[in-house]
Amino acid sequence: MSPRRVPATLALTAELDPDRPVALCRELTKTHEEVVRGSAAELAMRYAGTPPKGEVVLVLGAASEPDAGSGALEALRRLVDAGARPREAAKVVAGLTGASANDLYRSLTSPG
């Protein structure tokens, strides 16, 4: 990756998933090898003003699990309010969002 693209790439990653683990590896297999680890937000702040120098590899950790409490649960409620059966609606929403169908169903049917 071009070092000049690192600040923008980190900023976009931090905007989409600020807690995503990231490692910026610089000058691998050389005398001045450096690996900087942190969250996407932390590294975006660190490299916002000045891009790293030399050869750079950006390693992104796994994305966080989709949050069933956000839009997925709201979509499930709207489907059920429109007449869909809860279990089948949970399967459809899970397929579209990547959330767990069982977790969605439990959130929908749990009291409170």
PDB file of all heavy atoms in Angstrom, residues 7-26:
ATOM      1  N   PRO A   7      -3.434   7.428   5.718  1.00  0.00           N
ATOM      2  CA  PRO A   7      -4.326   8.248   6.548  1.00  0.00           C
ATOM      3  C   PRO A   7      -5.791   8.178   6.113  1.00  0.00           C
ATOM      4  O   PRO A   7      -6.682   8.030   6.954  1.00  0.00           O
ATOM      5  CB  PRO A   7      -3.773   9.668   6.397  1.00  0.00           C
ATOM      6  CG  PRO A   7      -2.336   9.463   6.081  1.00  0.00           C
ATOM      7  CD  PRO A   7      -2.296   8.220   5.227  1.00  0.00           C
ATOM      8  N   ALA A   8      -6.052   8.244   4.820  1.00  0.00           N
ATOM      9  CA  ALA A   8      -7.438   8.188   4.331  1.00  0.00           C
ATOM     10  C   ALA A   8      -8.054   6.811   4.562  1.00  0.00           C
ATOM     11  O   ALA A   8      -9.225   6.695   4.937  1.00  0.00           O
ATOM     12  CB  ALA A   8      -7.488   8.544   2.848  1.00  0.00           C
ATOM     13  N   THR A   9      -7.273   5.771   4.359  1.00  0.00           N
ATOM     14  CA  THR A   9      -7.774   4.410   4.575  1.00  0.00           C
ATOM     15  C   THR A   9      -8.104   4.183   6.043  1.00  0.00           C
ATOM     16  O   THR A   9      -9.152   3.623   6.380  1.00  0.00           O
ATOM     17  CB  THR A   9      -6.738   3.376   4.094  1.00  0.00           C
ATOM     18  OG1 THR A   9      -6.466   3.605   2.709  1.00  0.00           O
ATOM     19  CG2 THR A   9      -7.249   1.962   4.287  1.00  0.00           C
ATOM     20  N   LEU A  10      -7.227   4.637   6.920  1.00  0.00           N
ATOM     21  CA  LEU A  10      -7.485   4.492   8.350  1.00  0.00           C
ATOM     22  C   LEU A  10      -8.681   5.336   8.788  1.00  0.00           C
ATOM     23  O   LEU A  10      -9.484   4.895   9.622  1.00  0.00           O
ATOM     24  CB  LEU A  10      -6.247   4.866   9.159  1.00  0.00           C
ATOM     25  CG  LEU A  10      -5.105   3.854   9.125  1.00  0.00           C
ATOM     26  CD1 LEU A  10      -3.867   4.437   9.765  1.00  0.00           C
ATOM     27  CD2 LEU A  10      -5.517   2.556   9.798  1.00  0.00           C
ATOM     28  N   ALA A  11      -8.807   6.534   8.240  1.00  0.00           N
ATOM     29  CA  ALA A  11      -9.945   7.396   8.593  1.00  0.00           C
ATOM     30  C   ALA A  11     -11.263   6.742   8.182  1.00  0.00           C
ATOM     31  O   ALA A  11     -12.233   6.750   8.952  1.00  0.00           O
ATOM     32  CB  ALA A  11      -9.800   8.759   7.937  1.00  0.00           C
ATOM     33  N   LEU A  12     -11.306   6.168   6.993  1.00  0.00           N
ATOM     34  CA  LEU A  12     -12.531   5.507   6.530  1.00  0.00           C
ATOM     35  C   LEU A  12     -12.833   4.275   7.384  1.00  0.00           C
ATOM     36  O   LEU A  12     -13.975   4.048   7.781  1.00  0.00           O
ATOM     37  CB  LEU A  12     -12.408   5.119   5.062  1.00  0.00           C
ATOM     38  CG  LEU A  12     -13.599   4.397   4.457  1.00  0.00           C
ATOM     39  CD1 LEU A  12     -14.853   5.265   4.546  1.00  0.00           C
ATOM     40  CD2 LEU A  12     -13.324   4.012   3.023  1.00  0.00           C
ATOM     41  N   THR A  13     -11.815   3.495   7.688  1.00  0.00           N
ATOM     42  CA  THR A  13     -12.006   2.311   8.531  1.00  0.00           C
ATOM     43  C   THR A  13     -12.512   2.717   9.917  1.00  0.00           C
ATOM     44  O   THR A  13     -13.425   2.091  10.462  1.00  0.00           O
ATOM     45  CB  THR A  13     -10.691   1.519   8.654  1.00  0.00           C
ATOM     46  OG1 THR A  13     -10.227   1.190   7.349  1.00  0.00           O
ATOM     47  CG2 THR A  13     -10.893   0.246   9.453  1.00  0.00           C
ATOM     48  N   ALA A  14     -11.939   3.786  10.472  1.00  0.00           N
ATOM     49  CA  ALA A  14     -12.361   4.262  11.792  1.00  0.00           C
ATOM     50  C   ALA A  14     -13.792   4.775  11.757  1.00  0.00           C
ATOM     51  O   ALA A  14     -14.537   4.628  12.727  1.00  0.00           O
ATOM     52  CB  ALA A  14     -11.423   5.359  12.278  1.00  0.00           C
ATOM     53  N   GLU A  15     -14.192   5.369  10.651  1.00  0.00           N
ATOM     54  CA  GLU A  15     -15.562   5.859  10.527  1.00  0.00           C
ATOM     55  C   GLU A  15     -16.558   4.704  10.490  1.00  0.00           C
ATOM     56  O   GLU A  15     -17.618   4.764  11.100  1.00  0.00           O
ATOM     57  CB  GLU A  15     -15.688   6.686   9.243  1.00  0.00           C
ATOM     58  CG  GLU A  15     -17.052   7.285   9.009  1.00  0.00           C
ATOM     59  CD  GLU A  15     -17.100   8.051   7.703  1.00  0.00           C
ATOM     60  OE1 GLU A  15     -16.107   8.718   7.361  1.00  0.00           O
ATOM     61  OE2 GLU A  15     -18.131   7.979   7.021  1.00  0.00           O
ATOM     62  N   LEU A  16     -16.208   3.622   9.794  1.00  0.00           N
ATOM     63  CA  LEU A  16     -17.108   2.482   9.654  1.00  0.00           C
ATOM     64  C   LEU A  16     -17.098   1.566  10.872  1.00  0.00           C
ATOM     65  O   LEU A  16     -18.128   1.025  11.257  1.00  0.00           O
ATOM     66  CB  LEU A  16     -16.730   1.675   8.405  1.00  0.00           C
ATOM     67  CG  LEU A  16     -16.871   2.414   7.091  1.00  0.00           C
ATOM     68  CD1 LEU A  16     -16.312   1.568   5.946  1.00  0.00           C
ATOM     69  CD2 LEU A  16     -18.325   2.786   6.829  1.00  0.00           C
ATOM     70  N   ASP A  17     -15.918   1.369  11.470  1.00  0.00           N
ATOM     71  CA  ASP A  17     -15.786   0.445  12.601  1.00  0.00           C
ATOM     72  C   ASP A  17     -14.620   0.908  13.480  1.00  0.00           C
ATOM     73  O   ASP A  17     -13.507   0.399  13.362  1.00  0.00           O
ATOM     74  CB  ASP A  17     -15.542  -0.974  12.090  1.00  0.00           C
ATOM     75  CG  ASP A  17     -15.635  -2.030  13.176  1.00  0.00           C
ATOM     76  OD1 ASP A  17     -15.855  -1.667  14.356  1.00  0.00           O
ATOM     77  OD2 ASP A  17     -15.490  -3.226  12.854  1.00  0.00           O
ATOM     78  N   PRO A  18     -14.842   1.900  14.361  1.00  0.00           N
ATOM     79  CA  PRO A  18     -13.738   2.499  15.119  1.00  0.00           C
ATOM     80  C   PRO A  18     -12.986   1.536  16.027  1.00  0.00           C
ATOM     81  O   PRO A  18     -11.811   1.742  16.307  1.00  0.00           O
ATOM     82  CB  PRO A  18     -14.412   3.603  15.932  1.00  0.00           C
ATOM     83  CG  PRO A  18     -15.864   3.410  15.803  1.00  0.00           C
ATOM     84  CD  PRO A  18     -16.124   2.498  14.657  1.00  0.00           C
ATOM     85  N   ASP A  19     -13.627   0.472  16.472  1.00  0.00           N
ATOM     86  CA  ASP A  19     -12.976  -0.464  17.390  1.00  0.00           C
ATOM     87  C   ASP A  19     -12.283  -1.622  16.686  1.00  0.00           C
ATOM     88  O   ASP A  19     -11.717  -2.503  17.343  1.00  0.00           O
ATOM     89  CB  ASP A  19     -13.994  -1.009  18.386  1.00  0.00           C
ATOM     90  CG  ASP A  19     -14.546   0.081  19.279  1.00  0.00           C
ATOM     91  OD1 ASP A  19     -13.778   1.009  19.615  1.00  0.00           O
ATOM     92  OD2 ASP A  19     -15.744   0.032  19.625  1.00  0.00           O
ATOM     93  N   ARG A  20     -12.320  -1.637  15.370  1.00  0.00           N
ATOM     94  CA  ARG A  20     -11.708  -2.734  14.617  1.00  0.00           C
ATOM     95  C   ARG A  20     -10.202  -2.759  14.851  1.00  0.00           C
ATOM     96  O   ARG A  20      -9.518  -1.748  14.746  1.00  0.00           O
ATOM     97  CB  ARG A  20     -11.981  -2.558  13.132  1.00  0.00           C
ATOM     98  CG  ARG A  20     -11.593  -3.758  12.306  1.00  0.00           C
ATOM     99  CD  ARG A  20     -12.106  -3.594  10.909  1.00  0.00           C
ATOM    100  NE  ARG A  20     -11.976  -4.840  10.199  1.00  0.00           N
ATOM    101  CZ  ARG A  20     -12.574  -5.122   9.073  1.00  0.00           C
ATOM    102  NH1 ARG A  20     -13.368  -4.233   8.521  1.00  0.00           N
ATOM    103  NH2 ARG A  20     -12.404  -6.264   8.491  1.00  0.00           N
ATOM    104  N   PRO A  21      -9.644  -3.927  15.183  1.00  0.00           N
ATOM    105  CA  PRO A  21      -8.200  -3.998  15.406  1.00  0.00           C
ATOM    106  C   PRO A  21      -7.431  -3.832  14.091  1.00  0.00           C
ATOM    107  O   PRO A  21      -7.820  -4.382  13.065  1.00  0.00           O
ATOM    108  CB  PRO A  21      -7.988  -5.388  16.006  1.00  0.00           C
ATOM    109  CG  PRO A  21      -9.208  -6.156  15.692  1.00  0.00           C
ATOM    110  CD  PRO A  21     -10.319  -5.188  15.444  1.00  0.00           C
ATOM    111  N   VAL A  22      -6.348  -3.060  14.167  1.00  0.00           N
ATOM    112  CA  VAL A  22      -5.536  -2.771  12.985  1.00  0.00           C
ATOM    113  C   VAL A  22      -4.069  -2.864  13.372  1.00  0.00           C
ATOM    114  O   VAL A  22      -3.685  -2.499  14.486  1.00  0.00           O
ATOM    115  CB  VAL A  22      -5.839  -1.356  12.444  1.00  0.00           C
ATOM    116  CG1 VAL A  22      -4.950  -1.002  11.275  1.00  0.00           C
ATOM    117  CG2 VAL A  22      -7.301  -1.227  12.047  1.00  0.00           C
ATOM    118  N   ALA A  23      -3.264  -3.342  12.446  1.00  0.00           N
ATOM    119  CA  ALA A  23      -1.808  -3.322  12.611  1.00  0.00           C
ATOM    120  C   ALA A  23      -1.206  -2.665  11.380  1.00  0.00           C
ATOM    121  O   ALA A  23      -1.538  -3.036  10.252  1.00  0.00           O
ATOM    122  CB  ALA A  23      -1.256  -4.726  12.788  1.00  0.00           C
ATOM    123  N   LEU A  24      -0.376  -1.676  11.596  1.00  0.00           N
ATOM    124  CA  LEU A  24       0.342  -1.036  10.511  1.00  0.00           C
ATOM    125  C   LEU A  24       1.785  -1.527  10.587  1.00  0.00           C
ATOM    126  O   LEU A  24       2.472  -1.294  11.585  1.00  0.00           O
ATOM    127  CB  LEU A  24       0.295   0.484  10.631  1.00  0.00           C
ATOM    128  CG  LEU A  24       0.923   1.185   9.432  1.00  0.00           C
ATOM    129  CD1 LEU A  24      -0.020   2.255   8.919  1.00  0.00           C
ATOM    130  CD2 LEU A  24       2.252   1.761   9.789  1.00  0.00           C
ATOM    131  N   CYS A  25       2.195  -2.246   9.565  1.00  0.00           N
ATOM    132  CA  CYS A  25       3.531  -2.840   9.526  1.00  0.00           C
ATOM    133  C   CYS A  25       4.374  -2.061   8.522  1.00  0.00           C
ATOM    134  O   CYS A  25       3.981  -1.903   7.377  1.00  0.00           O
ATOM    135  CB  CYS A  25       3.449  -4.302   9.118  1.00  0.00           C
ATOM    136  SG  CYS A  25       2.259  -5.257  10.081  1.00  0.00           S
ATOM    137  N   ARG A  26       5.524  -1.606   8.970  1.00  0.00           N
ATOM    138  CA  ARG A  26       6.367  -0.753   8.141  1.00  0.00           C
ATOM    139  C   ARG A  26       7.762  -1.369   8.013  1.00  0.00           C
ATOM    140  O   ARG A  26       8.331  -1.854   8.989  1.00  0.00           O
ATOM    141  CB  ARG A  26       6.456   0.625   8.793  1.00  0.00           C
ATOM    142  CG  ARG A  26       7.050   1.701   7.952  1.00  0.00           C
ATOM    143  CD  ARG A  26       7.028   3.018   8.693  1.00  0.00           C
ATOM    144  NE  ARG A  26       8.013   3.071   9.758  1.00  0.00           N
ATOM    145  CZ  ARG A  26       9.304   3.317   9.585  1.00  0.00           C
ATOM    146  NH1 ARG A  26       9.775   3.505   8.390  1.00  0.00           N
ATOM    147  NH2 ARG A  26      10.110   3.347  10.609  1.00  0.00           N
TER     148      ARG A  26
END
